[in-house]
């Protein structure tokens, strides 16, 4: 080969720099922020393979952020909170275009507020629960940040001191703790707000409404009010089965716990039991029979009193009691004329009285004629409970109300006043009677009442503005202005956001939504509607309206990043995971179910595993054939009627493994021969061994070693194993340059065979190739020709470090024998060498330059060499 014909190749070496270069980048940085530099570690120039999130200054090596902000939660969705989010980056640096890898640590900032999956929590607690009891709250908040930014603290607002929350630190479980005794009869529903706050420097929080329903236990007994004692007057003409009175007891419990049974006390007389009956469920007291037929002979002129003691009993409770006194009067006699003088306000002989007034005197009644000659009395004649009474004062009667009147119960009364005659009057004489009309005037004492305790409605998102939702309706038992109701949105929904979203007609209660709703921003809306009457002062009540926003397929799938970058070794097993290709869809149900597939599936042996959300390699790959793959991903949701899609790019870099042995370029053949003049000066490079390796990085770094030397005149069995004293030539392990190490002497004339082993730097086991370098030392530079090669090599040369351990002990057992044989051969060779020199000098005088012949095997310019039970040979290019 001509000396000036040099083959030059450029190697791209990969240097793994994990741990040596680390750049920390706070997430969500704006574009153009300097975050670090690789200039202090690597020489210029600089170029990043991927510049989606970062870019590098080609001259200085400073690293800056780009317009694409780094989101730690998107880049490392599976990273535990205690770990680092590391994004490997690759750069080409230096004049030799080395590929280096450095770590970018994405630091967390508090950019995510806590989030409750459910904005409402419901819990039922018995009212007899002990103070200090804890209840597990399943609906806890989540925070996608890490460290302090993702650690949550909880507290309650609006709990009124009844409850608190605590967190079990190790398991991060949220508990509700009862702090005060509960009483359902005082408050059966506790509504409060659970606030979750993270521990970031600028804390973010989220809220959820907690509804605690207090369930009933039988902790109350029936009770009568203090004024439950009644006095009733009946006359002999009262018909049978007339309702004389009604007793009512109350039990604050609910359901079966509040059941009340009425009965007469065992102390009630037999006569009372004969005259009256008591309904055990309603508390009504009825007259058993016709009083005039059965008992008129037993009633004196002044009448008779019967006392009824009534008991009210409940489950597991002692009975409560009250008393009803019934006055039995004889039949009255007839008398003409009863004089009435009105005391209360009246119009056209009608008394006008506002409701809810305390007992009030209405009128003064007088008997006709001379009261000294007329023996009689006045009484009221109204069936059932009578809210009026007559009292005798100085021979005249005062008509009064016995309790406050209720307009909503009865708005008008007709009070009959009857004069009862004395004993001297005939019994059959008619009774004088006067009817007094009493009209009750309404006051605003009733607040509006909604027809439903809770309104709920569903509506699809993206609704047209102004669509009607529902109509709330409240009724007011009052009359006139007091019963006219208007509606409005009340607190806590009466905020700027609620005003912007919803409207309610103040007269009809029709609720409408003013703008399109977005389920992804808020899926449940709770409004408070207030109904208010027009009385003075006005009264109002409120009701909750829950609006559930239903999902539409209005959001396309979103990949965690528009460009995924993965690194895999070229010997990756089939079906192995390449990386996670995260994609999400904020829609719900089928609208949020996403399927990912590859558009260009023929580009490489990769498939999408939708069940795991990963990219997998399905077949063997070879970096030397293709070192990177560019894939396009296509994500489709299952929304109806039209699915939505998105795309992303995937770059898969193939990392090298040591699967290629070196290839020898120079010399081109094991039979190549080069003549070296005896006048060559020491240190001169006489030839060069050049080999290449298709691998990269350390796997392609080549070293050259002289494994054996065969000086002129030696037999095949007397190879010198790497002994430089037997040859004037030496080899540079890195460059492959063969130089003259010592001055050529007469003994050096002839053919020198150097057996070269070319080794790469692969781990754990390097690969080898061998080649013969044939150098003819001659006085002239006439061309050199070689037809044969050395026949074979000793056993020791056929072993390499890759030989299996099982073979090594065999060699060790023969080590001593080989040493003795070697010493003997060295002595014989020395003697033979001296004889050969003498003969050679004589022969040289007669025939200079005659080519020496070597025994060997003529097999296409290659020789076999057994290394590690494999055959390596120089490869022609």
């Amino acid at each position: 080969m001509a000396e000036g014909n040099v083959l030059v190749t450029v190697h791209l070496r990969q240097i793994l720099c994990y741990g040596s270069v680390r750049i920390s980048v706070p997430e969500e940085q704006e574009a153009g922020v300097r975050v670090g530099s690789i200039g202090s570690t690597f020489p210029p120039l600089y170029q990043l393979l991927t510049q989606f999130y970062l870019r590098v200054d080609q001259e200085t090596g400073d690293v800056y952020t780009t317009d694409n902000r780094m989101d730690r939660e998107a880049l490392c969705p599976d990273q535990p909170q205690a770990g680092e989010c590391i994004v490997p980056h690759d750069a080409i640096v230096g004049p030799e275009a080395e590929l280096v890898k450095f770590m970018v640590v994405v630091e967390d900032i508090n950019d995510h507020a806590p989030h409750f999956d459910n904005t409402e929590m419901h819990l039922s607690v018995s009212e007899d629960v002990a103070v200090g009891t804890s209840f597990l709250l399943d609906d806890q908040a989540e925070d996608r940040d890490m460290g302090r930014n993702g650690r949550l603290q909880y507290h309650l607002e609006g709990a009124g001191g009844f409850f608190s929350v605590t967190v079990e630190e190790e398991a991060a479980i949220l508990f509700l703790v009862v702090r005060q005794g509960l009483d359902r009869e005082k408050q059966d529903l506790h509504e409060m707000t659970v606030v979750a706050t993270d521990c970031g420097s600028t804390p973010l929080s989220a809220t959820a409404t907690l509804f605690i329903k207090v369930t009933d236990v039988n902790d109350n007994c029936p009770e009568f009010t203090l004024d439950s004692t009644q006095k009733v007057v009946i006359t002999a003409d009262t018909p049978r089965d007339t309702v004389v009175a009604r007793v009512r007891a109350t039990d604050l419990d609910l359901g079966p716990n509040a059941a009340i049974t009425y009965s007469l006390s065992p102390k009630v007389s037999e006569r009372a039991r004969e005259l009256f009956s008591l309904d055990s469920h309603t508390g009504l007291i009825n007259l058993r029979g016709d009083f005039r037929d059965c008992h008129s002979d037993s009633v004196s002129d002044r009448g008779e009193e019967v006392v009824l003691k009534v008991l009210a009993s409940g489950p597991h409770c002692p009975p409560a009691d009250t008393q009803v006194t019934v006055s039995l009067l004889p039949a009255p006699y007839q008398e003409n004329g009863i004089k009435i003088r009105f005391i209360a306000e009246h119009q056209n002989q009608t008394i006008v009285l506002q409701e809810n007034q305390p007992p009030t005197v209405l009128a003064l009644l007088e008997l006709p004629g001379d009261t000294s000659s007329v023996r009689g009395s006045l009484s009221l004649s109204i069936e059932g409970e009578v809210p009026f009474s007559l009292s005798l004062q100085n021979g005249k009667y005062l008509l009064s109300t016995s309790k406050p009147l209720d307009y909503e119960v009865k708005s008008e009364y007709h009070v009959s006043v009857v004069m009862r005659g004395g004993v001297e009057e005939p019994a059959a004489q008619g009774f004088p009677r006067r009817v007094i009309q009493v009209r009750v005037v309404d006051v605003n004492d009733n607040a509006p009442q909604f027809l439903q305790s809770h309104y709920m409605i569903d509506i699809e998102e993206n609704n047209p503005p102004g669509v009607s939702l529902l109509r709330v309706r409240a009724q007011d038992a009052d009359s006139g202005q007091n019963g006219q109701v208007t509606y409005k949105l009340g607190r806590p929904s009466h905020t700027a956001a609620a005003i912007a979203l919803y409207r309610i007609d103040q007269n009809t209660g029709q609720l409408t939504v003013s703008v399109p709703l977005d389920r992804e921003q808020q899926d449940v809306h709770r409004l408070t509607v207030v109904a208010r009457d027009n009385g003075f002062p006005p009264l109002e009540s409120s009701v909750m309206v829950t609006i559930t926003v239903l999902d539409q397929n209005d959001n396309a799938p979103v990949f965690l990043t528009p460009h995924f970058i993965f690194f895999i070794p070229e010997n990756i097993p089939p079906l192995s995971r390449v990386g996670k290709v995260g994609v999400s869809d904020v829609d719900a149900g089928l609208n949020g179910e996403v399927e990912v597939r590859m558009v260009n599936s023929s580009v490489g042996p990769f498939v999408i595993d939708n069940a795991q959300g990963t990219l997998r390699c399905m077949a063997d790959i070879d970096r030397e054939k293709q070192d990177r793959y560019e894939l396009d991903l296509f994500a489709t949701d299952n929304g109806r009627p039209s699915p939505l899609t998105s795309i992303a790019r995937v770059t898969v870099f193939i990392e090298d493994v040591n699967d290629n042995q070196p290839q020898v370029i120079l010399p081109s053949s094991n039979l190549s021969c080069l003549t070296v003049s005896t006048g060559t000066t020491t240190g001169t490079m006489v030839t060069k061994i050049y080999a290449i390796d298709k691998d990269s990085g350390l796997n392609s770094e080549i070293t050259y070693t002289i494994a054996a030397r065969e000086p002129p005149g030696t037999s095949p069995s007397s190879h010198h194993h790497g002994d430089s004293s037997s040859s004037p030539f030496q080899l540079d392990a890195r460059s492959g340059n063969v130089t003259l190490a010592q001055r050529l002497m007469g003994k050096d004339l002839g053919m020198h065979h150097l057996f070269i082993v070319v080794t790469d730097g692969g781990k754990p086991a390097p690969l080898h190739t061998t080649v013969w370098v044939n150098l003819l030392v001659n006085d002239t530079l006439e061309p050199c020709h070689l037809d044969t090669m050395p026949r074979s090599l000793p056993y020791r040369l056929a072993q390499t470090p890759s030989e299996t351990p099982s073979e090594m002990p065999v060699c060790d057992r023969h080590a001593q024998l080989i040493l003795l044989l070697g010493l003997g051969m060295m002595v014989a060779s020395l003697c033979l060498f001296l004889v050969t020199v003498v003969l050679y000098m004589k022969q040289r005088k007669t025939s200079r330059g005659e080519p020496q012949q070597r025994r060997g095997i003529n097999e296409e310019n290659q020789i076999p060499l057994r290394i590690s039970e494999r055959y390596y040979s120089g490869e022609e290019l």
Side-chain angles (χ1 to χ4, degrees), residues 411-427:
S411 61
E412 190 170 328
Y413 293 88
H414 295 81
V415 182
S416 294
V417 181
V418 180
M419 176 179 168
R420 306 291 184 181
V423 294
E424 296 178 355
E425 297 297 327

Side-chain angles (χ1 to χ4, degrees), residues 585-607:
D585 193 318
V586 295
D587 289 324
L590 291 176
N591 298 332
E593 295 181 358
V594 181
E595 180 181 359
V596 181
R597 65 179 186 271
M598 287 196 305
V599 178
N600 48 350
S601 58
S602 61
V603 170
F606 302 99
V607 297

Side-chain angles (χ1 to χ4, degrees), residues 30 561 831:
E30 297 181 352
T561 175
C831 295

